[in-house]
Amino acid sequence: MKCSLMVSSLIDPHISQPKLGKDKLGYSQGKTGYCWLVSALHCVSEWLYQKKGEVIRFSKGHLIYYDKIEKANKFLSQVIAHIQEPVDTQVNSYIFSNSMTDRGQWEMAANLIKKYGLMPENCYSDPFDQTSTTELNAAISYILCSYGAEMRRRFAAERNMEDVVAIKKEAAQSVFNLLSAYLETPQKYFEVEIRGKPYTLTAPKYFRSYVAFPFNHYMSIYADDTVLPTRYSIQLDGNIKDMPLNTFYSVPDNIFSLCVNEQIQSEKFCWCSIDAGKFYVKSHHILDDSIFDLSLLTKKTLPQFNRSEVLKNHIASMSHAVVIMENLQNGFSIYDPSFSAENGAKCFMSDSWFQKYVFQAIVQKSIVKPYNKVWATEVSMPWEFFGVSCSRL
């Protein structure tokens, strides 16, 4: 029997990496799939540090609580919106298959923060460093799908929308009761010290009056050399009903790289989506495809592809969110929320890895404007956009 090669045996033994140390903010997504939210909080904290010189870590648990509430409400609303269609349509299949997940995007983090504000981490006990959301999601999904099926059954039998709305309210209350039993309900008011003075504030007031991160100054770009510049608005996706959907602006591959670099140099943070399953040696805190000698296994030199080709051919996909923080020689310093606060979160990303496996980035609108002023608009379903070019975070 042949002995399988360990990943470590494929790594160039002469590899050297920068000593990056620990991230000053120390955020961690814990045992959740909320990399997208925690990375967004990291960006807000970094922005605040640059503006005011204060290191403040915000509660992710406070926002996760409301993300679950909002996703449940959106699911129930979508069931009603498509209740007259057969249950086995692609739309209804998607709705019921994604009733409750941790997945998300930058726009979803912005929606939560703009509606529910921010709370310093010490003001809300956060269970998610030690507790997984897996069981919670499974329980909420079962409740939602059961009520969703009952709403459809009642409507098919009686065609009475008032009964359906009543069932929706009962379902929402059941989810709220479960969350309140599983998590501590965030308090409405909390005490915080600002510039040496104590204040009693709500989370929305704290965000608007003190933090005031300008979400409307940023946009989501992704690299695509194969289509005309297009603005994609993803239907059915998102977390908060009647708030902005996940939206992506395509730009050529070379423009994407220029915009990301300018964003890093301008503000020292750039929220990005990556494929963390490709040539990532977490034990070394390094993402670098050049350190792997795959010819040991293949006995051949493998063909090379650019970022856009990697996406289109399903060689890789958007599966994780990180923050690129600094340009280094031949690469970048990044923050990865999947590390614990104790282990530190700074990693090295090589330039060659960046050119293949970083697909989406959040940059200032002013950075993109000189490169493109007009985008075609296209409304996409999740399986059309995410299915072709990426998976979801």
Side-chain angles (χ1 to χ4, degrees):
M1 182 175 65
K2 292 183 178 180
C3 179
S4 61
L5 287 171
M6 299 296 289
V7 170
S8 58
S9 68
L10 300 176
I11 301 175
D12 184 343
H14 303 295
I15 185 66
S16 62
Q17 63 189 86
K19 301 298 182 183
L20 302 177
K22 292 186 177 182
D23 178 69
K24 66 178 176 292
L25 296 170
Y27 276 110
S28 171
Q29 70 188 77
K31 298 180 179 182
T32 77
Y34 279 91
C35 57
W36 54 277
L37 176 61
V38 178
S39 290
L41 289 175
H42 189 284
C43 291
V44 174
S45 289
E46 180 64 37
W47 180 87
L48 191 66
Y49 172 75
Q50 292 180 37
K51 296 292 182 183
K52 302 184 180 183
E54 296 185 67
V55 177
I56 300 177
R57 195 161 70 187
F58 302 107
S59 169
K60 68 177 180 287
H62 158 242
L63 294 173
I64 289 174
Y65 177 93
Y66 287 113
D67 183 63
K68 299 302 183 191
I69 293 285
E70 292 292 348
K71 283 178 176 173
N73 178 65
K74 185 157 188 171
F75 166 82
L76 295 168
S77 298
Q78 288 178 336
V79 170
I80 292 177
H82 298 277
I83 203 166
Q84 299 189 51
E85 303 165 15
V87 70
D88 58 353
T89 63
Q90 199 163 18
V91 167
N92 276 317
S93 295
Y94 178 86
I95 291 170
F96 277 84
S97 296
N98 294 275
S99 54
M100 183 55 62
T101 72
D102 286 355
R103 297 193 305 254
Q105 269 284 341
W106 170 269
E107 286 86 352
M108 295 163 67
N111 289 344
L112 286 170
I113 294 170
K114 285 188 284 188
K115 182 171 182 177
Y116 293 103
L118 290 170
M119 185 180 290
E121 190 178 56
N122 61 359
C123 296
Y124 180 81
S125 58
D126 189 345
F128 292 113
D129 285 333
Q130 304 299 325
T131 304
S132 169
T133 51
T134 301
E135 291 184 356
L136 176 62
N137 287 343
I140 297 176
S141 292
Y142 182 81
I143 291 172
L144 290 174
C145 289
S146 296
Y147 275 106
E150 178 60 20
M151 290 158 68
R152 291 186 60 86
R153 181 168 61 182
R154 185 72 64 86
F155 182 79
E158 303 176 10
R159 297 282 164 172
N160 188 335
M161 192 57 75
E162 290 183 2
D163 287 349
V164 171
V165 172
I167 296 171
K168 177 190 175 184
K169 291 180 180 179
E170 183 180 334
Q173 186 63 49
S174 295
V175 171
F176 176 80
N177 292 344
L178 174 63
L179 279 170
S180 297
Y182 191 88
L183 304 173
E184 179 183 344
T185 303
Q187 56 191 328
K188 184 174 182 181
Y189 295 94
F190 59 89
E191 303 290 330
V192 64
E193 188 174 284
I194 300 175
R195 291 183 284 272
K197 294 183 179 181
Y199 293 88
T200 300
L201 299 172
T202 64
K205 178 70 172 178
Y206 178 63
F207 171 68
R208 291 193 301 268
S209 62
Y210 178 67
V211 181
F213 182 84
F215 281 104
N216 62 321
H217 290 182
Y218 297 83
M219 63 188 294
S220 171
I221 61 173
Y222 87 102
D224 193 344
D225 282 335
T226 62
V227 299
L228 293 174
T230 304
R231 174 186 181 271
Y232 294 93
S233 179
I234 315 302
Q235 302 298 299
L236 301 181
D237 214 39
N239 52 355
I240 301 181
K241 184 177 178 289
D242 299 327
M243 288 193 76
L245 297 172
N246 293 327
T247 302
F248 302 81
Y249 293 81
S250 71
V251 297
D253 192 87
N254 64 319
I255 301 302
F256 178 88
S257 296
L258 288 171
C259 290
V260 171
N261 276 282
E262 190 169 341
Q263 172 62 31
I264 297 166
Q265 293 170 13
S266 172
E267 296 191 295
K268 293 184 171 55
F269 64 83
C270 182
W271 188 105
C272 291
S273 59
I274 68 171
D275 189 333
K278 297 294 186 294
F279 306 106
Y280 189 179
V281 188
K282 295 196 75 170
S283 60
H284 290 64
H285 288 209
I286 189 167
L287 302 91
D288 189 353
D289 55 320
S290 67
I291 67 174
F292 287 81
D293 187 1
L294 292 179
S295 64
L296 290 174
L297 293 177
T298 64
K299 308 302 181 183
K300 290 181 179 294
T301 301
L302 295 176
Q304 297 298 307
F305 302 95
N306 65 25
R307 181 189 287 119
S308 181
E309 291 170 327
V310 164
L311 272 177
K312 291 297 181 183
N313 290 284
H314 302 280
I315 298 170
S317 62
M318 300 182 193
S319 61
H320 188 46
V322 301
V323 181
I324 302 180
M325 301 169 61
E326 185 181 1
N327 292 92
L328 303 173
Q329 184 176 4
N330 301 319
F332 307 87
S333 169
I334 73 163
Y335 150 78
D336 183 349
S338 67
F339 283 93
S340 68
E342 292 74 22
N343 290 338
K346 281 190 177 181
C347 305
F348 172 75
M349 175 192 291
S350 73
D351 184 65
S352 64
W353 199 97
F354 167 80
Q355 295 296 339
K356 296 184 184 73
Y357 303 114
V358 177
F359 308 115
Q360 175 203 4
I362 304 302
V363 301
Q364 297 169 78
K365 293 177 180 177
S366 59
I367 290 174
V368 185
K369 189 175 181 180
Y371 299 111
N372 201 321
K373 298 181 180 179
V374 179
W375 278 268
T377 299
E378 183 173 317
V379 174
S380 295
M381 291 298 184
W383 53 86
E384 295 168 345
F385 184 81
F386 291 110
V388 170
S389 58
C390 58
S391 63
R392 297 180 62 198
L393 302 182

